[in-house]
Amino acid sequence: MATRKITRREMLKLSGTAALGTLLAACATPASPPQAPASTSAPAVASGPVKISVMHDPKEFTEDMIKQFEAANPNIKLEVIKTDMTRFYAMAAAGNPPDVVRVQAPDLPQLLSRKLLKDLTPYFQGSSLLKPDDLAPANNYYKAKSPTQFGDGPIYGMVKDWSPDFTLFIYTAAFEEAKVPVPDATKSLTYDELADMGKKLTKVQGDKVIRWGFDLADGWIDRIWMNMLAEKGASLFSADYKKINLVNNDEARKAAKYFFDLQKANAMANPLNPSTDWIGADFTKGMVGIIQYGYWFSAMAESDVTKGKVVMLPSPTWAGKRRGPTMTATGTVISAKTKNPDAAWKLFEWYHGGAPSVERAKGGWGVPGLKSQYAMIPTDSPFQKQARAILDAELPYTNDVIQFNPYISGDTVYNLWNKYVEQALRGSLSFDDMLKKIEAEANTAIQEGADRIV
Amino acid sequence: MDIHLPLVQKGRSVRTQQSAANTQARKGMSPRAWRQARAFYLFISPWLLGFIFLSIVPLLVGLLISFSNYDGLNLMEVKSVGLRNYARALGDTETQYALQRTALWTLLNVPLWLAISFGLAMLMNQKVKGRGFFRTIFYLPSAVPVVAIVWIWKIFLDKNYGMVNGLLGLIRPGTALPWLTDYALQSLTAISLWTGLGSGMVIFLAGLQGIPTELEEAARIDGANGLQVWRHVTLPLMTPVLFFQLVLAIITSMQAYVVPMLISPGSGQNLSNLPPRGVYLYMIHTFQQIFVFRRFGYGIAMLWLLFILIIVLTFLVFRTQRYWVYYETETEEKKA
């Protein structure tokens, strides 16, 4: 049989074509195509089982929980999708969002402005497990009169647990080493005192930073500014949230400068001197003197290195007014377009007031979402007892919320800070020019976001 | 009525009818050509269908989105913005900066990768003891997940606690070179070479083993030394492979995303974390626009611009091949 050999040139052409195909694929839409769950359109009273789709973190919504719930509710089948907000948006755009969704505080104004959240107030009012009066203060993040008025009003969801995130942890060995007196745990430090301590605790050997004096989750930086400004009744945004004010806003400028100076002094990890790990791990390795991370971190603050040398402190103040809310408020909501609201509520109620919530409360990884479960918080070790005492003293200052901007993602301002602070730290951009750039780009993003919402 | 016909005869009759119908359908084609064509389309159909529905259709959707203000959620209210996304990308200083860094990285990475992987392939082509062992060792980094490799490199290169600065500290105590920040481009190149050399080496090795030994032997008999044999026999015969690798390396480098993102501080915790400014590459800027700023239309327009740029570059490289790529078949064709 006659055969035709493929020449080397033809082979290369074919390979080139294949490579071109791969390259073209990169230009396709980046989001995963909407893979809507096979949700049923049957009402909750239908004879067959109802399927509820849950977008959640598999570590927080485990296989065991699914089995428990399905055993107790044979008419409801659960389909769990891993949390991915891009996928959520794609599913919502396709008109078939998951029924129950894990969210965080910065997502909520945007979701409400897009009319994606179901008002759960009537359900709360009729529930014996989730009574409105029993809701912990962090649930204020799920109450809103409008996308720019969070804190009170109809209830759209609930925290799974929470934490006063501005509270501090100190590594006392670092204080002893630097001969800095350990602060009184019953008193709230000022941010100025904190910066002073942070600089003193920073340990340097040659050009190396062996220990940062003070650190925080840098992704939260604009949330911290917002809380600082709120102490003075000021805001990062204009009243209608359609502008960010950094350049001509003295208070905002001071807040940003505070962190810039700490980074410049290498008292805090920064883009020129970053850590290879996350700050919690750095703290447990004894590489950070003070960490601003919130009560939840008490579950892991003590390691082999830090055991017996960690003290929790109250949240600091910027202008003398105590404000110690959570700034993440991780919880769940129900989609406005759910086809099975009663079944979705049943799951919601069970997750937040049933066995999983009891398990979470006893785990010590955060403050329960219900006040009636506070007594379950573990206080076995001396450190847990100390942390609990600080938590109890902090609770009266946790009612406030940080009002996030409904027109941009919660990462926008941080992302811009992250991009320009490196240049400012290198001196290729002045601090004020950095603020101008952040303000200009953030305002463009806000304007675009506002234009897209009908 | 053929109801009483014997079964064999009935079968024959049916086949005859089918054959007639087929003959009608493939008018102008020989039966053999028809069978070959049918087999061909059947064999390629899984790929072809996948390519159409999973590549071509999303591509067309992507093209449409690039002319819109789509943000991932406003599907029902999406508006056409014409060429505004493209004009914006061309005028955006950040996009230009990211493109410059990408070009620089490509200029640094591609020649080094080609030279070192070709050199390694030549070494691994020598008849030395333990050759298989060394081939495995050099290929190993290509088989390890890139996340693990970058993590290890980050530990090596960390300014404060890294092993490299620790070793340098033995010579000059207190040395703390900022490998992952001030030398981010160089570090990125080193990490990428480490992960990519193995696969490059394997392709070059396959090319080297395809070179007929009699050509090299003939050159030696004619008095050529090792360098001359390499220069006048091995290298020309390897140019088609070099050309192929060059095209692929340019495309891959222009699209680099994962490694620079992984070397960024706090990688893995937050998608809005950024790598050091030195490796703020085009794909990173694009990713930020799409997923942090929710500018899907704009981000996809940026991807189309990158695609066009890569096509132009590839075309230019193709145009140069007449000057430096040697094809045996071409010579034979010319002779004929």
Side-chain angles (χ1 to χ4, degrees), chain B residues 46-82:
Chain B
W47 178 85
L48 194 63
L49 289 174
F51 184 65
I52 290 169
F53 290 106
L54 300 177
S55 294
I56 297 292
V57 171
L59 260 174
L60 293 175
V61 173
L63 186 63
L64 285 175
I65 286 174
S66 74
F67 298 113
S68 75
N69 70 342
Y70 183 59
D71 71 348
L73 196 53
N74 60 340
L75 197 62
M76 296 303 132
E77 298 89 28
V78 74
K79 286 179 196 161
S80 167
V81 294

Short mmCIF file of all heavy atoms in Angstrom, two decimals, chain B residues 46-82:
data_model
loop_
_atom_site.label_atom_id
_atom_site.label_comp_id
_atom_site.label_asym_id
_atom_site.label_seq_id
_atom_site.Cartn_x
_atom_site.Cartn_y
_atom_site.Cartn_z
N PRO B 46 -14.08 13.65 17.34
CA PRO B 46 -14.09 14.03 18.77
C PRO B 46 -13.34 15.33 19.01
O PRO B 46 -13.81 16.21 19.72
CB PRO B 46 -13.39 12.85 19.46
CG PRO B 46 -13.53 11.71 18.52
CD PRO B 46 -13.52 12.31 17.15
N TRP B 47 -12.16 15.45 18.37
CA TRP B 47 -11.39 16.68 18.56
C TRP B 47 -12.09 17.87 17.91
O TRP B 47 -12.19 18.95 18.49
CB TRP B 47 -9.98 16.51 17.96
CG TRP B 47 -9.18 17.76 18.10
CD1 TRP B 47 -8.44 18.15 19.17
CD2 TRP B 47 -9.09 18.83 17.15
NE1 TRP B 47 -7.88 19.38 18.96
CE2 TRP B 47 -8.27 19.83 17.73
CE3 TRP B 47 -9.63 19.05 15.87
CZ2 TRP B 47 -7.97 21.02 17.05
CZ3 TRP B 47 -9.33 20.25 15.22
CH2 TRP B 47 -8.51 21.21 15.82
N LEU B 48 -12.60 17.61 16.68
CA LEU B 48 -13.22 18.70 15.92
C LEU B 48 -14.44 19.26 16.65
O LEU B 48 -14.60 20.48 16.77
CB LEU B 48 -13.63 18.18 14.53
CG LEU B 48 -13.98 19.26 13.51
CD1 LEU B 48 -12.79 20.15 13.22
CD2 LEU B 48 -14.49 18.63 12.23
N LEU B 49 -15.27 18.35 17.16
CA LEU B 49 -16.47 18.81 17.88
C LEU B 49 -16.07 19.59 19.14
O LEU B 49 -16.64 20.63 19.45
CB LEU B 49 -17.36 17.62 18.26
CG LEU B 49 -18.07 16.94 17.08
CD1 LEU B 49 -18.78 15.69 17.55
CD2 LEU B 49 -19.06 17.91 16.44
N GLY B 50 -15.07 19.04 19.84
CA GLY B 50 -14.57 19.73 21.04
C GLY B 50 -14.03 21.11 20.68
O GLY B 50 -14.30 22.09 21.36
N PHE B 51 -13.29 21.17 19.57
CA PHE B 51 -12.69 22.45 19.17
C PHE B 51 -13.77 23.46 18.81
O PHE B 51 -13.69 24.63 19.18
CB PHE B 51 -11.75 22.21 17.98
CG PHE B 51 -11.00 23.44 17.55
CD1 PHE B 51 -10.08 24.05 18.39
CD2 PHE B 51 -11.25 24.03 16.31
CE1 PHE B 51 -9.40 25.19 18.01
CE2 PHE B 51 -10.57 25.17 15.92
CZ PHE B 51 -9.64 25.75 16.78
N ILE B 52 -14.80 22.98 18.11
CA ILE B 52 -15.87 23.90 17.70
C ILE B 52 -16.64 24.42 18.92
O ILE B 52 -16.79 25.63 19.11
CB ILE B 52 -16.84 23.22 16.70
CG1 ILE B 52 -16.12 23.01 15.36
CG2 ILE B 52 -18.10 24.05 16.49
CD1 ILE B 52 -16.86 22.12 14.39
N PHE B 53 -17.06 23.49 19.78
CA PHE B 53 -17.95 23.91 20.87
C PHE B 53 -17.21 24.43 22.10
O PHE B 53 -17.76 25.22 22.87
CB PHE B 53 -18.89 22.76 21.25
CG PHE B 53 -19.89 22.48 20.17
CD1 PHE B 53 -19.78 21.37 19.36
CD2 PHE B 53 -20.93 23.38 19.92
CE1 PHE B 53 -20.69 21.13 18.34
CE2 PHE B 53 -21.84 23.15 18.90
CZ PHE B 53 -21.72 22.03 18.11
N LEU B 54 -15.99 23.98 22.30
CA LEU B 54 -15.27 24.44 23.50
C LEU B 54 -14.22 25.50 23.20
O LEU B 54 -13.66 26.10 24.11
CB LEU B 54 -14.60 23.25 24.21
CG LEU B 54 -15.56 22.15 24.67
CD1 LEU B 54 -14.80 20.99 25.28
CD2 LEU B 54 -16.56 22.70 25.68
N SER B 55 -13.93 25.72 21.92
CA SER B 55 -12.95 26.76 21.58
C SER B 55 -13.54 27.83 20.66
O SER B 55 -13.53 29.01 21.00
CB SER B 55 -11.71 26.14 20.91
OG SER B 55 -11.04 25.33 21.82
N ILE B 56 -14.05 27.40 19.52
CA ILE B 56 -14.53 28.39 18.54
C ILE B 56 -15.73 29.18 19.10
O ILE B 56 -15.74 30.41 19.05
CB ILE B 56 -14.93 27.70 17.21
CG1 ILE B 56 -13.70 27.06 16.58
CG2 ILE B 56 -15.57 28.70 16.25
CD1 ILE B 56 -12.65 28.02 16.07
N VAL B 57 -16.70 28.47 19.66
CA VAL B 57 -17.90 29.17 20.17
C VAL B 57 -17.52 30.12 21.32
O VAL B 57 -17.87 31.31 21.27
CB VAL B 57 -19.00 28.15 20.57
CG1 VAL B 57 -20.14 28.86 21.28
CG2 VAL B 57 -19.51 27.43 19.33
N PRO B 58 -16.77 29.64 22.36
CA PRO B 58 -16.37 30.60 23.40
C PRO B 58 -15.55 31.76 22.85
O PRO B 58 -15.65 32.88 23.32
CB PRO B 58 -15.53 29.77 24.37
CG PRO B 58 -15.98 28.38 24.15
CD PRO B 58 -16.36 28.29 22.71
N LEU B 59 -14.74 31.46 21.82
CA LEU B 59 -13.94 32.53 21.21
C LEU B 59 -14.83 33.61 20.60
O LEU B 59 -14.59 34.80 20.79
CB LEU B 59 -13.11 31.93 20.07
CG LEU B 59 -11.66 31.62 20.37
CD1 LEU B 59 -11.05 30.91 19.19
CD2 LEU B 59 -10.91 32.88 20.65
N LEU B 60 -15.85 33.17 19.90
CA LEU B 60 -16.76 34.15 19.28
C LEU B 60 -17.51 34.93 20.36
O LEU B 60 -17.68 36.15 20.25
CB LEU B 60 -17.75 33.44 18.34
CG LEU B 60 -17.10 32.82 17.09
CD1 LEU B 60 -18.13 32.04 16.29
CD2 LEU B 60 -16.46 33.90 16.23
N VAL B 61 -17.91 34.22 21.41
CA VAL B 61 -18.58 34.91 22.52
C VAL B 61 -17.60 35.92 23.13
O VAL B 61 -17.95 37.06 23.43
CB VAL B 61 -19.07 33.89 23.58
CG1 VAL B 61 -19.60 34.61 24.82
CG2 VAL B 61 -20.15 32.99 23.00
N GLY B 62 -16.35 35.46 23.31
CA GLY B 62 -15.31 36.35 23.86
C GLY B 62 -15.12 37.58 22.99
O GLY B 62 -14.98 38.70 23.49
N LEU B 63 -15.14 37.38 21.69
CA LEU B 63 -14.97 38.51 20.76
C LEU B 63 -16.11 39.51 20.94
O LEU B 63 -15.88 40.72 21.01
CB LEU B 63 -14.91 37.99 19.32
CG LEU B 63 -14.58 39.03 18.26
CD1 LEU B 63 -13.19 39.61 18.47
CD2 LEU B 63 -14.70 38.45 16.86
N LEU B 64 -17.32 38.98 21.04
CA LEU B 64 -18.48 39.87 21.24
C LEU B 64 -18.36 40.63 22.56
O LEU B 64 -18.62 41.83 22.64
CB LEU B 64 -19.77 39.06 21.23
CG LEU B 64 -20.25 38.56 19.86
CD1 LEU B 64 -21.47 37.67 20.03
CD2 LEU B 64 -20.58 39.75 18.97
N ILE B 65 -17.95 39.91 23.60
CA ILE B 65 -17.83 40.54 24.93
C ILE B 65 -16.79 41.66 24.91
O ILE B 65 -16.94 42.67 25.59
CB ILE B 65 -17.50 39.47 25.99
CG1 ILE B 65 -18.75 38.62 26.28
CG2 ILE B 65 -17.00 40.10 27.30
CD1 ILE B 65 -18.50 37.46 27.20
N SER B 66 -15.75 41.48 24.09
CA SER B 66 -14.70 42.50 24.05
C SER B 66 -15.21 43.84 23.53
O SER B 66 -14.55 44.85 23.68
CB SER B 66 -13.51 42.01 23.22
OG SER B 66 -13.82 42.04 21.85
N PHE B 67 -16.36 43.84 22.91
CA PHE B 67 -16.96 45.09 22.42
C PHE B 67 -18.08 45.58 23.36
O PHE B 67 -18.91 46.39 22.97
CB PHE B 67 -17.55 44.90 21.02
CG PHE B 67 -16.54 44.51 19.99
CD1 PHE B 67 -16.56 43.26 19.40
CD2 PHE B 67 -15.54 45.40 19.61
CE1 PHE B 67 -15.61 42.89 18.46
CE2 PHE B 67 -14.58 45.04 18.68
CZ PHE B 67 -14.61 43.78 18.10
N SER B 68 -18.10 45.05 24.59
CA SER B 68 -19.20 45.40 25.49
C SER B 68 -18.69 45.86 26.86
O SER B 68 -17.49 45.82 27.13
CB SER B 68 -20.08 44.16 25.70
OG SER B 68 -19.44 43.26 26.57
N ASN B 69 -19.63 46.24 27.71
CA ASN B 69 -19.27 46.64 29.08
C ASN B 69 -19.60 45.51 30.06
O ASN B 69 -19.89 45.77 31.23
CB ASN B 69 -19.99 47.94 29.48
CG ASN B 69 -21.50 47.71 29.67
OD1 ASN B 69 -22.04 46.72 29.20
ND2 ASN B 69 -22.15 48.61 30.36
N TYR B 70 -19.56 44.29 29.61
CA TYR B 70 -19.91 43.13 30.44
C TYR B 70 -19.00 43.06 31.68
O TYR B 70 -17.79 43.23 31.57
CB TYR B 70 -19.76 41.85 29.61
CG TYR B 70 -20.17 40.60 30.33
CD1 TYR B 70 -21.44 40.44 30.85
CD2 TYR B 70 -19.26 39.55 30.50
CE1 TYR B 70 -21.81 39.29 31.52
CE2 TYR B 70 -19.61 38.39 31.16
CZ TYR B 70 -20.89 38.26 31.66
OH TYR B 70 -21.25 37.12 32.32
N ASP B 71 -19.62 42.86 32.85
CA ASP B 71 -18.83 42.79 34.08
C ASP B 71 -19.00 41.45 34.79
O ASP B 71 -18.67 41.31 35.96
CB ASP B 71 -19.19 43.94 35.03
CG ASP B 71 -20.57 43.78 35.65
OD1 ASP B 71 -21.34 42.92 35.20
OD2 ASP B 71 -20.87 44.53 36.60
N GLY B 72 -19.54 40.49 34.08
CA GLY B 72 -19.71 39.17 34.69
C GLY B 72 -21.09 38.97 35.26
O GLY B 72 -21.45 37.87 35.64
N LEU B 73 -21.83 40.05 35.38
CA LEU B 73 -23.13 39.95 36.03
C LEU B 73 -24.24 40.67 35.28
O LEU B 73 -25.41 40.35 35.45
CB LEU B 73 -23.01 40.53 37.45
CG LEU B 73 -24.11 40.20 38.44
CD1 LEU B 73 -24.32 38.70 38.54
CD2 LEU B 73 -23.75 40.75 39.81
N ASN B 74 -23.86 41.62 34.45
CA ASN B 74 -24.89 42.46 33.81
C ASN B 74 -25.30 41.93 32.44
O ASN B 74 -25.47 42.70 31.49
CB ASN B 74 -24.38 43.91 33.69
CG ASN B 74 -23.12 44.01 32.86
OD1 ASN B 74 -22.41 43.02 32.69
ND2 ASN B 74 -22.81 45.18 32.37
N LEU B 75 -25.45 40.63 32.34
CA LEU B 75 -25.76 40.01 31.04
C LEU B 75 -27.03 40.59 30.42
O LEU B 75 -27.10 40.81 29.22
CB LEU B 75 -25.89 38.49 31.22
CG LEU B 75 -25.81 37.66 29.95
CD1 LEU B 75 -24.46 37.81 29.28
CD2 LEU B 75 -26.03 36.19 30.28
N MET B 76 -28.01 40.87 31.27
CA MET B 76 -29.30 41.36 30.75
C MET B 76 -29.23 42.84 30.36
O MET B 76 -30.03 43.31 29.58
CB MET B 76 -30.41 41.16 31.80
CG MET B 76 -30.70 39.72 32.12
SD MET B 76 -31.15 38.79 30.66
CE MET B 76 -30.13 37.34 30.81
N GLU B 77 -28.27 43.55 30.96
CA GLU B 77 -28.20 45.00 30.69
C GLU B 77 -26.94 45.38 29.92
O GLU B 77 -26.54 46.54 29.89
CB GLU B 77 -28.21 45.80 32.01
CG GLU B 77 -29.45 45.63 32.86
CD GLU B 77 -29.33 44.47 33.82
OE1 GLU B 77 -28.21 44.14 34.22
OE2 GLU B 77 -30.36 43.86 34.17
N VAL B 78 -26.28 44.37 29.36
CA VAL B 78 -24.99 44.63 28.73
C VAL B 78 -25.15 45.59 27.54
O VAL B 78 -26.14 45.55 26.83
CB VAL B 78 -24.33 43.28 28.31
CG1 VAL B 78 -24.99 42.68 27.09
CG2 VAL B 78 -22.85 43.44 28.11
N LYS B 79 -24.15 46.50 27.41
CA LYS B 79 -24.23 47.50 26.34
C LYS B 79 -23.00 47.39 25.45
O LYS B 79 -21.91 47.08 25.94
CB LYS B 79 -24.23 48.91 26.95
CG LYS B 79 -25.52 49.31 27.61
CD LYS B 79 -25.34 50.71 28.19
CE LYS B 79 -26.43 51.03 29.19
NZ LYS B 79 -26.07 52.12 30.06
N SER B 80 -23.19 47.71 24.19
CA SER B 80 -22.05 47.72 23.28
C SER B 80 -21.25 49.00 23.51
O SER B 80 -21.83 50.08 23.67
CB SER B 80 -22.54 47.67 21.83
OG SER B 80 -21.48 47.98 20.96
N VAL B 81 -19.93 48.86 23.52
CA VAL B 81 -19.10 50.06 23.67
C VAL B 81 -18.21 50.24 22.44
O VAL B 81 -17.26 51.02 22.46
CB VAL B 81 -18.23 49.99 24.95
CG1 VAL B 81 -19.09 50.01 26.20
CG2 VAL B 81 -17.31 48.79 24.95
N GLY B 82 -18.53 49.51 21.39
CA GLY B 82 -17.75 49.62 20.15
C GLY B 82 -16.30 49.23 20.39
O GLY B 82 -16.02 48.23 21.05
#
